[in-house]
Amino acid sequence: MSDAKKNLLLFFDRPSEPCFMQKGEDKAVFDIPDNYYPEKYQRVSNAISNRFGSDAGRMIPIRNIALPNLDLPMELPYNEQFSLFVPKHRQMAGKLIDIFMGMRDVEDLQSICAYCQLRINPYMFNYCLSVAILHRSDTKGLQIPTFAECFPDKFMDPKVFRKAREVTSVVPTGARMPIVIPSNYTASDAEPEQRVAYFREDIGTNLHHWHWHLVYPFDAADRALVNKDRRGELFYYMHQQMIARFNIERFCNDLRKVETYSDFRGPIKEGYFPKMDSQVASRAWPPRFAGSFLRDLDRPIDQIRIDISELEIWRDRFLKAIEDMAVILPNGRQMPLDEETGIDVLGNLMESSTISINRPYYGDLHNMGHVFIGYCHDPDHRHLEPFGVMGDLATTMRDPLFFRWHGYIDSVFHLYKYKLTPYSDDRLIFPDIRVRSISLDGKGAPNMLNTFWEQSTVDLARGLDFSPRGSVLARFTHLQHEDYSYVIEVNNTGRSSVMGMFRIFIAPTLDENKRPLNFDEQRKLMIELDKFSQGLKPGNNTVRRRSVDSSVTVPFERTFSNQADRPGNPGSPESAEFDFCGCGWPQHMLIPKGTTEGYPMVLFVMVSNWNDDRVEQDLVGSCNDAASYCGIRDRKYPDRRAMGFPFDRPAPAATTLSDFLRPNMAVRDCIVRFTDRTRQRGQQE
């Protein structure tokens, strides 16, 4: 890997400190041209250069290039919040991404980054550089530090940072003990929603949401960055799965299913008090009080002036499109929503990226819903308040209202799915294949999944601007489960070997009132656990699959991107895929929490015909270990079936899951047992 390529990672180190200060473990200093210094530093540029360069580990010369027009991205003040939900911010970020993507080589990219890092809002700079590194052909192989490393203030209690600065100032590097991040610190037990704070406020789940949008940016001049295979459908499916997972966690904690947020003029019953500070904006994240209302927005600073009635118009146009099974094109003609691509078209319209087929007409419902909620405490900016956590991709999942809002959006997509023809037997059955059983093999009793708390550490040093150097570990508590394996018995009654696609889901058996779920409700609560292909020889086959190999998740090491765990040599294809593989549901959240007495669930497996499902493409060197929610880098989605198949469509003939079963499917009742104990990561029992 070239030094210039590797040097780009230094821009993620202490992101608010100027790049002419020492960066990284080797005390590297960018030697920038005099005209790159901001006006406030130009008179003392020589003194600054001498101060930080005299004991630098190495100096990095920066090319003096002809600078592009940066007026648009520089409209966002340096010390303000940045949100991809705000249209003006998306426009500014799209322009900066285009500039970074357009640099002729890595040295020029390094040069423009040095200039921008001193002037551009740090949150926006981090996002745009991350997108560029992920998508430029000459920067593949660079491991982008996780957003939680660069901006830990978006993920944890601000008391942690006071303690961290105390530790770095007082205690030598080798003797520092981890700082404990408190769990469930945003509300007391008197708030019922606090029972599922471990899910909403988990660092890994919030990082997943942020990283997904890095891989799938909203805006860019190069449509290839945005227009990825089945992107709109993936937007629908990834969020649908998050809602299903959250609902199951609620059931495990004696809470009702999410009540969708569909009345834009009624009171919002939940309050949320984030108890976080923005280190860049030097502001506390504003709370939302219970009983708040959405109000028309008039915020000139954000170039937002919009009435609630516009949300309602966009919503009604969506519902009309689904009712008519056709969308209106910019030329006024109608385009039918077919069974194959309809959900993708609707997903792109709803997310409202630049590939929306008619953005002026169908608007920006999803994003502006986040914006209305995020600004409900200060809709006209009279109190000079920034948006709440609903306005930021990295924090939005913390708010209970996120799941109510996306629950509503999910219900709109389901209206379309209800219009589709139910799957016929020829789409469901795999001739000659009989799945005799599926079972779970792990620690403890058969067909039992065991969950508990685990403590892990993350290094905060990269995100502690203007404080002494050295590693600062923080210890946080998260849900975890014992590893297990699926054991699937399959009988191939044919005469030749075939390739099967195994689809594994799990769902609750009872609703919030402890009554058996009917099939139509249960199918919407099916969460995908794994999907993989496997050859089946004639006769009996025993297929074993480990939970850690799930197609849904990325392991802990990739969620938190430990450099020591990346595969291959720097710059190799393997290490390039490691970056993309940071996108995926965190492995530690694969299994719902369950209950101490044992939460009843049903495990489902279907074996479909791989020859019907496969997508012809070369996957050599491609990361597909979390393809279910994230797709595959620079490739098509690796499954021709609809995402969520076979549960994405209703099956009116089935009252129960048993009614739905075909010979190539099997189920197994199991329980998820939670033990209220805490294990240190790496500790075996």
Side-chain angles (χ1 to χ4, degrees), residues 21 40-41 65 95 149 156 209 237 281 293 299 349 361 405 422 449 456 458 538 547 552 559 590 613 669:
M21 294 177 67
K40 63 182 176 180
Y41 293 129
I65 64 171
K95 177 64 175 176
E149 285 182 85
M156 56 195 72
H209 192 243
Y237 184 58
F293 288 84
R299 293 180 60 98
L349 283 176
Y361 185 74
W405 175 233
L449 296 166
S456 301
V458 62
S547 60
V552 171
T559 295
L590 176 65
D613 304 345
D669 288 329

Side-chain angles (χ1 to χ4, degrees), residues 192-485:
E193 292 295 330
Q194 195 63 14
R195 296 180 210 163
V196 285
Y198 67 88
F199 182 92
R200 290 186 287 102
E201 296 173 357
D202 181 78
I203 296 175
T205 57
N206 282 276
L207 276 175
H208 159 72
H209 192 243
W210 167 259
H211 204 121
W212 192 91
H213 286 278
L214 276 186
V215 174
Y216 294 94
F218 288 93
D219 284 75
D222 181 357
R223 279 180 64 87
L225 266 70
V226 183
N227 193 15
K228 297 180 179 177
D229 185 53
R230 295 171 70 180
R231 178 215 172 102
E233 184 179 7
L234 197 53
F235 171 80
Y236 143 72
Y237 184 58
M238 189 271 286
H239 287 92
Q240 183 273 328
Q241 285 285 286
M242 289 201 310
I243 300 301
R245 287 177 173 278
F246 186 60
N247 274 323
I248 296 172
E249 300 292 348
R250 295 178 71 82
F251 289 178
C252 292
N253 288 277
D254 291 323
L255 293 171
R256 299 185 67 79
K257 194 168 72 168
V258 166
E259 180 184 334
T260 61
Y261 179 64
S262 56
D263 179 5
F264 304 156
R265 297 183 185 272
I268 301 169
K269 62 182 180 181
E270 301 92 347
Y272 185 64
F273 293 73
K275 296 179 179 59
M276 295 195 305
D277 293 342
S278 167
Q279 303 291 314
V280 169
S282 300
R283 288 280 187 277
W285 285 86
R288 182 186 64 254
F289 289 85
S292 296
F293 288 84
L294 299 193
R295 288 178 285 174
D296 297 341
L297 297 180
D298 185 6
R299 293 180 60 98
I301 190 172
D302 302 306
Q303 298 185 24
I304 294 175
R305 188 171 188 177
I306 182 171
D307 296 347
I308 297 171
S309 59
E310 287 198 54
L311 277 187
E312 295 167 329
I313 290 169
W314 294 336
R315 174 197 61 197
D316 293 344
R317 287 173 177 171
F318 255 93
L319 297 178
K320 183 73 166 66
I322 292 169
E323 182 183 332
D324 297 342
M325 285 297 280
V327 294
I328 296 174
L329 299 174
N331 62 10
R333 294 180 181 174
Q334 286 198 337
M335 184 185 80
L337 293 170
D338 61 35
E339 291 195 351
E340 295 297 318
T341 63
I343 189 66
D344 194 51
V345 171
L346 288 173
N348 286 324
L349 283 176
M350 180 64 80
E351 192 193 14
S352 197
S353 66
T354 52
I355 58 171
S356 166
I357 209 160
N358 193 351
R359 213 182 203 177
Y361 185 74
Y362 290 101
D364 202 4
L365 180 61
H366 160 254
N367 296 322
M368 291 311 295
H370 277 270
V371 171
F372 268 100
I373 296 166
Y375 282 133
C376 69
H377 58 283
D378 193 14
D380 56 8
H381 201 228
R382 72 177 60 192
H383 299 295
L384 309 179
E385 281 289 296
F387 46 77
V389 294
M390 273 290 282
D392 190 318
L393 284 168
T395 60
T396 183
M397 281 183 67
R398 303 175 74 87
D399 192 331
L401 197 52
F402 169 87
F403 296 94
R404 292 191 60 199
W405 175 233
H406 272 276
Y408 174 67
I409 289 169
D410 191 49
S411 72
V412 173
F413 287 130
H414 277 298
L415 291 175
Y416 161 78
K417 290 287 188 176
Y418 275 112
K419 303 275 280 189
L420 302 182
T421 305
Y423 290 120
S424 56
D425 277 353
D426 66 310
R427 306 277 295 273
L428 295 173
I429 290 176
F430 188 178
D432 298 330
I433 297 300
R434 304 285 183 269
V435 181
R436 292 164 53 198
S437 67
I438 180 172
S439 57
L440 295 169
D441 182 18
K443 286 188 177 180
N447 300 308
M448 178 186 292
L449 296 166
N450 296 288
T451 65
F452 50 89
W453 300 122
E454 184 172 79
Q455 285 194 332
S456 301
T457 56
V458 62
D459 196 341
L460 304 180
R462 193 189 301 275
L464 294 176
D465 298 303
F466 304 107
S467 62
R469 305 286 159 171
S471 178
V472 185
L473 296 179
R475 181 171 289 153
F476 62 101
T477 304
H478 56 84
L479 189 65
Q480 185 57 283
H481 59 273
E482 297 283 5
D483 294 341
Y484 62 92
S485 294

Side-chain angles (χ1 to χ4, degrees), residues 147-165:
F147 202 58
E149 285 182 85
C150 300
F151 298 108
D153 54 299
K154 288 183 183 274
F155 299 89
M156 56 195 72
D157 186 344
K159 292 176 184 174
V160 169
F161 306 111
R162 185 193 61 76
K163 293 176 183 174
R165 289 190 166 90

Side-chain angles (χ1 to χ4, degrees), residues 595-621:
T595 59
T596 52
E597 62 272 19
Y599 183 70
M601 301 194 77
V602 61
L603 189 66
F604 169 93
V605 64
M606 172 186 189
V607 181
S608 57
N609 190 337
W610 180 78
N611 279 322
D612 294 341
D613 304 345
R614 66 175 173 161
V615 174
E616 294 282 358
Q617 58 185 340
D618 175 19
L619 294 182
V620 174

Side-chain angles (χ1 to χ4, degrees), residues 575-599:
S575 62
E577 297 308 331
F578 186 87
D579 308 326
F580 192 89
C581 289
C583 180
W585 191 251
Q587 174 70 29
H588 64 267
M589 298 296 282
L590 176 65
I591 300 299
K593 180 183 176 185
T595 59
T596 52
E597 62 272 19
Y599 183 70

